[in-house]
Amino acid sequence: MSFQAPFALLWFLPVGGFILALYLLRLRRRDFRVPASFLWPERQDEVRANSLFQRLKFNWLWVLQLLALAFLVLGLARWQVRQENVSGLTTVLIVDASASMGARDVAPDRFGVAVKRAESLVAAMKPGDRMAVIESGASPRVATGLSQDQAKLRQGLGSLRRSDAPSDVGEALRLAMALVGRDGESRIILLSDGCFDPVGSVSRGKSQIIFEPFGTSSENLGIQALGTAETPQGLQAYVGVKNYGRAQASTSITVYADGKAVSSHRADIAPGQTIGKTVSLPPGTERVSAKLGQGGALACDDQRTVPGNPTGSVKVLLVSKGNLFLETGLNLDARVVLDKATQVPASELASSPGQGAYDLVVFDSEPEIAVKAPMTVSFGKGGGASPAEVGGKLPTPQVLSVRDDGLMDGVSFDGVYLASVYAAKPRAGAQALAEAASGPIAVFRATPKIQAYFAFDLLDGDFPLSVSFPILLGNILDKAAGSERQGLTAIATGQVVGLPGKDGESVDVKDPTGEVSQTTALNGRFTFRNLDRVGEYAVGSGTAAKRYLANMVAERESDIAPVKEFAIAGGEPVKSKPAEQFADLWKPLVALMMGVLALEWFVFMRRS
Amino acid sequence: MSLSAPSPHLDTRDVRVLERLRLKPRKAFSGRVRGERLAREKGVSLEFKDYREYSDGDDLRHIDWNVLARLGTPIVKTYQDEEDLPVTLLVDASESMDFGEPNKFGTACQLAAAFGVVAARGGDSVQGVALADTPNRTRFLRGRRGTISLTSWLESLRPNGKRALAFHLKQAARHMSRPGLAILITDGMDPSLAQAFAHVTVAGHELWVVQVLSPFELDPGIEGDLRMIDAETNQVVEITANGPTLDAYRRNLANHNSAIEQAALKHGGRYALIESGKPLAEVFGKTFQKAGWVG
């Protein structure tokens, strides 16, 4: 509650005093001669005064007049109150549809409550309001563009679907900014539990960002890791379970080999702690699953399935001075256990004794040197161990061809800007996978170890922003994991997966619920963007089907503790508050004043 | 008395109506002069009362010969003696009567004159008594000349009573020696009036109360903040004349009038409320005749 013109309240004192002064005036009564006075009751309801002075007597008339004055003065002071609805504004509703919104600490779940809240905001729209709805799932989606049509907006809300993937709220905010454009006064209402990665810089413009958080509990257990390894004791699975909550929790951990339970343990886990269990698996296990008995409020991290092939999990060493794209891209893959270093540790050098700890070493703009890892990938500078001889830099190349083989499946350089490339020449046993006018830009060698070389720095162009980048990383990891031949790949929910295909050709995609949809190849590849629910996806049919085991691996989503504010890079943190607005109450106040005056007139007439 | 006060002089049309009427008291009274009234004692008169066996000394003219012929027993007719009725007109001349439009006192005088005409034409004797601070009364009057005297006396009256009406009524009752019909014409504006009726009836009078109120008193059309000054006592009541106040006044008036009526009936009398200015022909022809006061 506030006043736009608080000094107008001071009018109450002189005007109210004047009204009371009128009632302090004594009444001068008219003499009236009557035959007998005993019949007349002594009733004095003074409604007029014309002489000084008398003690103030209670009278409903002056009470009502002061009340009417109070309403008038409040109206003049522009009394305002916070109101839930949004009027005359452009509003973008962002509904967080990430995995953590599936937490059932509120009924039916956080996502359901957020959608209901969005529906109530749509229902509270007033004429002239415009609203849009954005689903912030694995990738932001505009469910309904700016519209004044409530039915259309409700339809858009009905189309919202929660995913088991993390969401990029920053991207959703940027999309919302793009929608409101240059609209003067606009607001973006984020309906979320706040369980998302830090938001990068967002240009707010004149828009106001309102954050309405949902969720009450932080108690959750989740499978943090599941991997297999060939050990002297045979094939074994490792399960890591973390307690993300604030209280001690107990759960059962059951491991399945191709659907058959092979182990079940009960575990007590302290808050913030992770416990690990190693379980022996039957030889030839194709799929290994782990499930939690009591996993807390969030269900999608209570199970995980990976290929039984030990190489299904990939230990990756990224040698780089810093590359967010590579780090993020590699971490998104469920199979990856990533370590970062600015140079190769001595223990991993080929010249050092013993076995290496990594399945894959990625050299990011660092010279490739001989390492123990069975596979290397390098970008930019070649190095002595590189499969290509690398020369100086050449200007913007024109990419002529890309070979469709395992590594470059679905990868295209069409529309990709590369500021420069290195002059590269395949060494013995190596072959070019992609050619530009200036020479090879991708070189591959399979023996003695698997090596791939890309003749450009990732940050020297916009390749990391293209859809081909995650596809290339997926292909590299497939190669490193050795699972591509099995047709069984573990992926993170929301991960974009690409497969080569002829333009116009369609394949069936069967999701974990058994629902089948179709995807058509474009620009020589199928791109699957909606693999965002935990479970097994089958692409194609029969024995040729490629299967993806989608797991929710984002720890930020498993940590479901609701947050009340989030930071935006380069800006003020956004604190939680309900989507309200100040409503000017002068109209109802004037109506009240008129009502009181009417009542006062009625009382006066009754007494007159 | 206000200019619009009705004159005690009656017009010819009213007199013609009144001359056909006779006062009809509930009980019989013995008078001094043979008139047209039935006396309380049985005797020789024109009005047949009963039969009785003949006894020595009875007037033979009163033997019913037809009965004697049939029964063989001499039976004598007895007759109600007829005498005049003493009628006392008690006219309230207090200050409160000088009020209203038409004026209550004028109406009271007119009613008194009308009762005088009815009584005189019926052979009754009439006495006028003014209930005022200055004692004023007539002797018992009879006949047409008596009505003229009564009218003149009424015309000479002026409202001047400052004292309570009950007091004047008690005083008047002391001087009413001949039991008869006492007709009190008043506005009744005295809260203790009803208690004073006993002083009149205890002496054997039949009391008729005619309460005269002005249209204003019956339904006061006033508003605003007023000081109500009592015409007799000069007592002041401050009021705000609005709906609730007027409602309360009407209730008080109705209760007061009812108390007067109940007291009158309790003492074997009669009561009528007359609005000042009502035509005499209507008052006598409808109100009084219908209630059996005159016939």
Side-chain angles (χ1 to χ4, degrees):
Chain A
M1 184 179 78
S2 66
F3 297 96
Q4 268 194 0
F7 288 108
L9 292 173
L10 296 175
W11 278 105
F12 186 80
L13 294 175
V15 182
F18 178 72
I19 289 173
L20 285 180
L22 290 178
Y23 283 88
L24 287 170
L25 296 176
R26 198 152 57 88
L27 187 69
R28 183 182 292 159
R29 294 173 182 275
R30 189 157 47 95
D31 287 350
F32 198 86
R33 205 167 173 78
V34 288
S37 58
F38 71 90
L39 295 173
W40 291 95
E42 187 103 22
R43 283 181 68 111
Q44 298 172 39
D45 298 323
E46 294 177 1
V47 293
R48 287 183 289 269
N50 47 21
S51 173
L52 293 173
F53 267 111
Q54 67 174 346
R55 198 161 55 85
L56 182 64
K57 297 175 190 167
F58 180 80
N59 190 327
W60 275 111
L61 289 179
W62 64 255
V63 174
L64 291 172
Q65 285 164 7
L66 287 182
L67 190 61
L69 173 67
F71 287 136
L72 178 66
V73 168
L74 285 173
L76 288 173
R78 305 291 299 276
W79 187 21
Q80 297 179 322
V81 292
R82 289 175 185 278
Q83 218 176 41
E84 273 204 354
N85 60 346
V86 183
S87 176
L89 292 174
T90 301
T91 305
V92 180
L93 299 177
I94 299 176
V95 182
D96 186 354
S98 65
S100 62
M101 291 293 280
R104 295 182 183 275
D105 52 343
V106 289
D109 56 20
R110 293 178 182 181
F111 180 73
V113 175
V115 171
K116 271 193 176 176
R117 173 67 180 139
E119 285 170 348
S120 73
L121 287 169
V122 168
M125 279 174 71
K126 290 181 176 172
D129 291 353
R130 292 193 309 156
M131 216 176 258
V133 179
I134 290 177
E135 177 190 272
S136 179
S139 55
R141 177 178 72 90
V142 178
T144 309
L146 282 174
S147 171
Q148 296 183 5
D149 185 350
Q150 287 183 316
K152 198 172 163 187
L153 287 161
R154 276 194 290 271
Q155 197 178 357
L157 287 173
S159 74
L160 299 185
R161 199 176 62 92
R162 187 183 60 78
S163 75
D164 290 333
S167 69
D168 188 346
V169 170
E171 197 54 40
L173 286 170
R174 280 184 280 275
L175 183 58
M177 295 296 175
L179 273 179
V180 295
R182 294 179 199 156
D183 276 11
E185 242 185 90
S186 59
R187 62 183 66 194
I188 295 164
I189 300 172
L190 173 61
L191 307 174
S192 167
D193 55 3
C195 302
F196 45 77
D197 287 326
V199 175
S201 63
V202 172
S203 170
R204 301 187 194 206
K206 289 181 182 174
S207 297
Q208 181 191 4
I209 298 175
I210 295 165
F211 171 40
E212 275 198 39
F214 296 90
T216 56
S217 171
S218 58
E219 301 311 313
N220 184 44
L221 295 169
I223 296 175
Q224 191 189 27
L226 176 63
T228 57
E230 202 68 61
T231 67
Q233 289 79 34
L235 185 61
Q236 288 192 323
Y238 170 82
V239 187
V241 179
K242 184 174 181 181
N243 180 358
Y244 294 92
R246 309 289 182 263
Q248 176 97 2
S250 175
T251 186
S252 62
I253 308 164
T254 307
V255 178
Y256 299 84
D258 292 329
K260 291 179 183 171
V262 293
S263 166
S264 185
H265 296 87
R266 182 119 210 123
D268 294 321
I269 311 172
Q273 295 299 306
T274 303
I275 59 145
K277 292 281 177 193
T278 304
V279 176
S280 292
L281 299 171
T285 298
E286 198 172 300
R287 285 178 181 77
V288 182
S289 303
K291 288 183 184 173
L292 301 184
Q294 298 83 34
L298 188 64
C300 63
D301 61 357
D302 294 344
Q303 60 176 315
R304 196 178 280 199
T305 304
V306 296
N309 186 336
T311 53
S313 65
V314 183
K315 286 208 75 176
V316 180
L317 175 65
L318 173 61
V319 182
S320 170
K321 289 192 169 56
N323 190 324
L324 184 66
F325 296 109
L326 262 178
E327 281 179 41
T328 307
L330 289 169
N331 266 326
L332 277 175
D333 196 294
R335 297 166 292 181
V336 169
V337 180
L338 181 66
D339 286 331
K340 291 175 285 182
T342 53
Q343 58 184 20
V344 177
S347 61
E348 291 299 316
L349 294 173
S351 53
S352 66
Q355 285 199 328
Y358 297 100
D359 301 312
L360 170 66
V361 177
V362 179
F363 294 92
D364 172 42
S365 300
E366 295 290 334
E368 182 176 342
I369 55 176
V371 292
K372 292 175 183 171
M375 181 173 174
T376 60
V377 174
S378 59
F379 292 93
K381 297 171 184 172
S386 171
E389 278 184 30
V390 179
K393 275 194 172 183
L394 300 172
T396 307
Q398 183 190 358
V399 179
L400 300 176
S401 66
V402 177
R403 268 180 62 182
D404 281 346
D405 75 344
L407 201 62
M408 299 301 282
D409 281 352
V411 177
S412 167
F413 288 93
D414 291 347
V416 172
Y417 171 71
L418 297 174
S420 62
V421 296
Y422 290 91
K425 184 180 168 188
R427 285 192 166 125
Q431 56 183 326
L433 294 180
E435 295 271 3
S438 55
I441 59 169
V443 174
F444 178 74
R445 185 162 66 186
T447 54
K449 60 171 69 179
I450 301 169
Q451 288 178 288
Y453 168 74
F454 297 90
F456 51 86
D457 291 315
L458 278 175
L459 300 181
D460 199 14
D462 62 4
F463 181 67
L465 301 177
S466 73
V467 73
S468 292
F469 177 64
I471 293 172
L472 175 64
L473 288 184
N475 293 345
I476 289 170
L477 291 170
D478 280 354
K479 189 74 84 177
S483 61
E484 57 178 336
R485 286 176 297 277
Q486 296 179 4
L488 191 63
T489 307
I491 61 168
T493 47
Q495 184 178 335
V496 178
V497 173
L499 284 177
K502 291 179 182 169
D503 282 0
E505 189 183 358
S506 294
V507 288
D508 290 340
V509 179
K510 193 161 127 186
D511 70 11
T513 64
E515 203 170 301
V516 177
S517 59
Q518 281 208 322
T519 299
T520 305
L522 187 66
N523 296 328
R525 64 179 178 269
F526 295 104
T527 305
F528 307 105
R529 299 174 188 277
N530 297 322
L531 313 183
D532 58 0
R533 300 309 295 258
V534 167
E536 184 173 320
Y537 288 86
V539 176
S541 56
T543 52
K546 174 93 177 162
R547 294 175 188 277
Y548 294 97
L549 301 170
N551 295 301
M552 209 294 284
V553 297
E555 285 203 62
R556 184 65 194 89
E557 297 295 324
S558 292
D559 184 2
I560 60 167
V563 296
K564 299 298 178 192
E565 68 174 65
F566 66 90
I568 291 181
E572 290 284 313
V574 179
K575 293 185 177 172
S576 68
K577 65 172 182 179
E580 296 169 329
Q581 70 161 21
F582 282 111
D584 203 337
L585 293 180
W586 73 268
K587 283 180 184 171
L589 284 170
V590 167
L592 275 172
M593 186 195 73
M594 298 298 284
V596 171
L597 284 180
L599 182 63
E600 192 264 352
W601 176 82
F602 175 73
V603 172
F604 177 83
M605 292 307 289
R606 287 269 300 180
R607 293 182 172 185
S608 299
Chain B
M1 200 184 303
S2 66
L3 290 174
S4 60
S7 163
H9 292 286
L10 306 176
D11 65 30
T12 319
R13 202 181 312 161
D14 288 336
V15 172
R16 270 206 296 273
V17 171
L18 296 170
E19 280 178 342
R20 289 200 299 270
L21 301 173
R22 296 290 180 272
L23 296 173
K24 295 175 72 176
R26 290 183 195 274
K27 47 186 188 177
F29 299 94
S30 49
R32 287 178 182 166
V33 183
R34 182 171 296 276
E36 296 182 0
R37 289 287 150 191
L38 301 180
R40 199 179 302 157
E41 294 81 14
K42 296 169 192 169
V44 283
S45 181
L46 296 178
E47 189 77 19
F48 170 77
K49 182 173 177 68
D50 203 353
Y51 287 100
R52 66 172 169 81
E53 285 189 5
Y54 177 78
S55 60
D56 290 342
D58 284 340
D59 191 341
L60 292 175
R61 288 177 296 178
H62 293 134
I63 292 175
D64 191 329
W65 299 105
N66 292 325
V67 174
L68 179 64
R70 280 205 301 276
L71 301 177
T73 305
I75 297 296
V76 177
K77 281 183 183 175
T78 62
Y79 294 87
Q80 184 99 22
D81 200 357
E82 292 178 352
E83 295 177 349
D84 69 335
L85 171 67
V87 177
T88 304
L89 297 171
L90 300 162
V91 180
D92 183 359
S94 62
E95 293 271 353
S96 68
M97 290 294 284
D98 187 16
F99 187 85
E101 188 69 33
N103 189 275
K104 289 191 291 183
F105 188 68
T107 302
C109 289
Q110 209 171 41
L111 284 168
F115 275 116
V117 168
V118 173
R121 291 294 189 273
D124 299 321
S125 55
V126 180
Q127 181 188 30
V129 177
L131 302 178
D133 290 351
T134 311
N136 193 350
R137 64 177 61 213
T138 67
R139 57 186 176 81
F140 277 98
L141 305 168
R142 290 173 151 275
R144 190 179 296 272
R145 185 173 292 177
T147 58
I148 294 169
S149 300
L150 182 67
T151 304
S152 302
W153 176 78
L154 288 169
E155 207 168 20
S156 69
L157 287 181
R158 291 290 179 273
N160 64 358
K162 288 280 186 190
R163 305 183 79 162
L165 179 60
F167 171 79
H168 292 305
L169 192 58
K170 286 178 202 168
Q171 293 296 317
R174 279 189 201 164
H175 298 95
M176 292 162 62
S177 54
R178 290 180 62 199
L181 181 60
I183 303 175
L184 172 62
I185 305 171
T186 178
D187 60 1
M189 291 300 160
D190 179 356
S192 57
L193 175 64
Q195 284 81 44
F197 290 169
H199 294 278
V200 178
T201 56
V202 75
H205 299 288
E206 179 175 331
L207 180 64
W208 292 4
V209 179
V210 180
Q211 189 179 10
V212 180
L213 292 176
S214 66
F216 172 85
E217 286 169 292
L218 293 169
D219 187 15
I222 53 171
E223 62 177 355
D225 301 296
L226 304 168
R227 289 174 78 236
M228 311 303 267
I229 303 169
D230 193 300
E232 294 172 9
T233 63
N234 285 328
Q235 277 190 334
V236 172
V237 175
E238 292 192 341
I239 67 157
T240 300
N242 52 22
T245 305
L246 295 180
D247 286 345
Y249 165 80
R250 289 190 194 98
R251 274 197 306 276
N252 291 346
L253 179 66
N255 291 338
H256 176 66
N257 293 349
S258 174
I260 293 173
E261 180 180 9
Q262 294 304 316
L265 297 177
K266 182 182 155 193
H267 288 97
R270 287 175 164 144
Y271 168 87
L273 174 62
I274 304 297
E275 187 179 314
S276 68
K278 275 275 167 75
L280 280 177
E282 185 183 327
V283 172
F284 275 81
K286 288 188 179 171
T287 308
F288 291 153
Q289 197 169 12
K290 203 171 174 183
W293 292 34
V294 294

